[in-house]
């Protein structure tokens, strides 16, 4: 059974830096990403339909995380898949920071610190997937990519937090059961 790929592979007018897609996001975090419309009041952030105009790659990362985590191999079919890979690896890192005894405020602090920590981008020596990602052309592209990834990390951390703590004050054991799994045997 093959891994699940991004539905955003068909998008044509997407800015690409190196071979990493800068797709539009539904976000409140400042950054270089184009902003998608907010969700309608009747729609929950946890149950968004993939056909909605507000569905973004971060919703896709969170919905495909559990299924794709079990795969050690992943055939990259385009730039949108690279964002999916990066997002899944970041979600794995975040889940490792949440402990079963943490309250929501403690976890929020830990995840925001993880999102804002210094991180490597494609082309940096410490980036774990340099064989699958191209480096940005110049310093300006590298800075734009760093800002975009920072925006992705912050928004993913907040959306993951909402899902892990959807039932109240304790983290979902179902989500935390994925802390030991490594997608493609890698970590950020």
């Amino acid at each position: 059974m093959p891994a699940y790929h991004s539905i955003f592979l068909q998008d044509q007018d997407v800015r690409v830096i190196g071979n990493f897609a800068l797709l539009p996001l539904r976000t409140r975090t400042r950054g270089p990403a184009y902003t998608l419309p907010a969700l309608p009041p009747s729609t929950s952030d946890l149950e968004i339909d993939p056909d909605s105009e507000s569905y973004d790659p971060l919703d896709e990362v969170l919905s495909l995380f559990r299924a794709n985590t079990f795969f050690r191999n992943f055939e990259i079919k385009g730039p949108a898949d690279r964002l999916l890979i990066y997002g899944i690896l970041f979600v794995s890192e975040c889940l490792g920071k949440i402990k079963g005894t943490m309250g929501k405020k403690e976890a929020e602090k830990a995840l925001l610190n993880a999102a804002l920590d210094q991180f490597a981008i494609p082309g940096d020596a410490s980036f774990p997937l340099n064989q699958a990602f191209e480096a940005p052309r110049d310093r300006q592209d590298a800075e734009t990519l760093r800002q975009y990834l920072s925006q992705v990390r912050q928004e993913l951390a907040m959306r993951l937090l909402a899902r892990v703590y959807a039932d109240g004050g304790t983290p979902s054991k179902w989500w935390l059961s994925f802390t030991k799994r490594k997608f493609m045997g890698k970590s950020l």
Side-chain angles (χ1 to χ4, degrees):
M1 181 174 162
Y4 296 98
H5 293 277
S6 178
I7 63 169
F8 296 98
L9 290 172
Q10 301 92 3
D11 291 0
Q12 299 298 321
D13 299 327
V14 174
R15 183 171 179 203
V16 176
I17 293 181
N19 55 2
F20 196 95
L22 273 63
L23 294 164
L25 304 174
R26 188 184 72 250
T27 181
R28 293 173 299 276
T29 308
R30 286 190 359 206
Y34 295 112
T35 305
L36 290 175
L39 288 174
S42 61
T43 307
S44 166
D45 206 16
L46 305 177
E47 314 163 346
I48 186 167
D49 181 29
D51 294 329
S52 168
E53 68 175 351
S54 298
Y55 189 77
D56 72 356
L58 305 184
D59 293 318
E60 182 178 55
V61 165
L62 290 169
S63 65
L64 295 180
F65 169 77
R66 294 175 301 235
N68 277 351
T69 300
F70 292 106
F71 292 99
R72 295 203 43 81
N73 298 319
F74 188 88
E75 178 189 356
I76 298 172
K77 295 188 175 184
D81 275 347
R82 288 180 179 83
L83 178 58
L84 181 65
I85 290 169
Y86 187 87
I88 289 172
L89 292 175
F90 181 68
V91 168
S92 292
E93 181 183 324
C94 287
L95 287 174
K97 304 236 184 255
I98 299 174
K99 305 295 180 234
T101 58
M102 279 184 160
K104 188 172 182 176
K105 286 285 184 198
E106 248 183 301
E108 181 177 5
K109 185 177 178 183
L111 293 188
L112 281 178
N113 285 339
L116 296 171
D117 277 349
Q118 190 68 13
F119 58 92
I121 63 170
D124 290 350
S126 59
F127 189 71
L129 294 166
N130 272 330
Q131 69 275 12
F133 288 74
E134 289 177 14
R137 279 190 325 256
D138 54 31
R139 191 177 297 179
Q140 182 180 2
D141 277 357
E143 188 54 36
T144 302
L145 182 58
R146 185 175 303 281
Q147 290 171 355
Y148 181 77
L149 288 177
S150 178
Q151 189 177 14
V152 164
R153 290 165 66 99
Q154 290 174 57
E155 188 65 29
L156 254 179
M158 295 316 296
R159 291 190 199 178
L160 177 65
L161 190 70
R163 288 174 189 245
V164 171
Y165 285 89
D167 296 334
T170 58
S172 165
K173 291 179 184 176
W174 196 71
W175 272 94
L176 293 184
S177 67
F178 287 89
T179 56
K180 301 276 191 262
R181 289 223 150 274
K182 287 191 173 184
F183 176 58
M184 296 173 42
K186 305 272 186 197
S187 62
L188 289 180

